[in-house]
């Protein structure tokens, strides 16, 4: 598929990974509109919206529903690393709103016009954490698991509409989303972290070929399959990492 002349909505396009994806799509002729709180550099258009509140999501949904989109990429995300009880109630709510509720609501808003044209593509950028649910990433992991389930259910619902649904699950990416504590955890546990440019290129390739489900990284992709079949085995494999993470929060 060519991106030339395509109207593309990209949430979270002002961040490191989002900026790279935006530039790659624009370089191939795509007309990228970024939806974010901060204005990006180099995008064709910009919608200033805040997806961390119900009111912000509804305002964003109204803005995107008014236009025709060929591709919608739900990339925006936030993360809490640490014991669940240490996450503030406000950040907990925002985690589910940004990571799960906003992609579902924005997709709902753009579907009528896509269905009328019998074409379009919804791209949900999840995480390996949505299939291997990590301790100390409880809200992030569970929200991404919900996004994975939403993508699968939506694909089945849209099977005869001409609308493609792509779910992309990178492993950890070296971006500003990771706090210093996450970086320390990655060092302690030898967590694999990919360069943003490589992941941006793979995400764009998955969109171009209208892939269904794409998981990045080994051995993480193997763990995805093992966790689906033998979650107890993965529990034991990750227990040492969980203990190392817990040490970071002893006070």
């Amino acid at each position: 598929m060519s991106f030339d002349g395509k109207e593309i909505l990209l949430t979270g396009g002002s961040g490191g990974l989002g900026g790279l994806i935006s530039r790659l799509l624009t370089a191939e002729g795509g007309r990228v509109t970024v939806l974010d709180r901060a204005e990006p550099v180099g995008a064709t258009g910009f919608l200033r919206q805040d997806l961390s509140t119900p009111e912000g999501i509804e305002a964003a949904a109204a803005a995107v529903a008014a236009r025709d989109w060929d591709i919608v990429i739900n990339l925006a995300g936030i993360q809490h690393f640490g014991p669940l009880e240490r996450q503030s109630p406000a950040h907990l709510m925002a985690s589910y709103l940004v990571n799960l509720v906003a992609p579902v609501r924005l997709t709902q808003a753009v579907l009528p016009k896509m269905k009328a044209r019998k074409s379009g593509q919804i791209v949900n950028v999840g995480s390996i954490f949505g299939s291997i649910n990590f301790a100390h990433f409880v809200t992030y992991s569970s929200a991404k698991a919900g996004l994975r389930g939403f993508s699968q259910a939506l694909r089945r619902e849209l099977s005869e509409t001409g609308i493609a649904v792509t779910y992309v699950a990178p492993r950890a990416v070296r971006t500003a989303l990771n706090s210093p504590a996450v970086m320390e955890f990655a060092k302690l546990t030898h967590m694999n972290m990919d360069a943003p440019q490589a992941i941006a290129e793979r995400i764009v390739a998955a969109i171009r070929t209208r892939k269904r489900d794409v998981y990045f990284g080994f051995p993480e992709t193997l763990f995805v399959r093992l966790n689906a079949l033998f979650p107890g085995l993965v529990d034991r494999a990750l227990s040492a990492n969980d203990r190392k993470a817990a040490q970071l929060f002893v006070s």
Side-chain angles (χ1 to χ4, degrees), residues 3-42:
F3 295 121
D4 190 33
K6 298 291 186 183
E7 293 291 341
I8 304 170
L9 176 69
L10 172 63
T11 73
S14 299
L17 183 59
L20 291 169
I21 293 171
S22 177
R23 285 192 287 275
L24 288 170
L25 293 168
T26 301
E28 295 191 35
R31 296 177 53 82
V32 180
T33 297
V34 167
L35 188 154
D36 210 326
R37 290 184 294 186
E39 189 166 357
V41 176

Side-chain angles (χ1 to χ4, degrees), residues 137-158:
F137 293 90
V138 172
T139 51
Y140 183 75
S141 288
S142 56
K144 292 299 188 179
L147 187 62
R148 178 172 58 90
F150 166 65
S151 301
Q152 186 177 77
L154 181 67
R155 184 184 297 124
R156 291 168 177 167
E157 182 170 314
L158 300 177

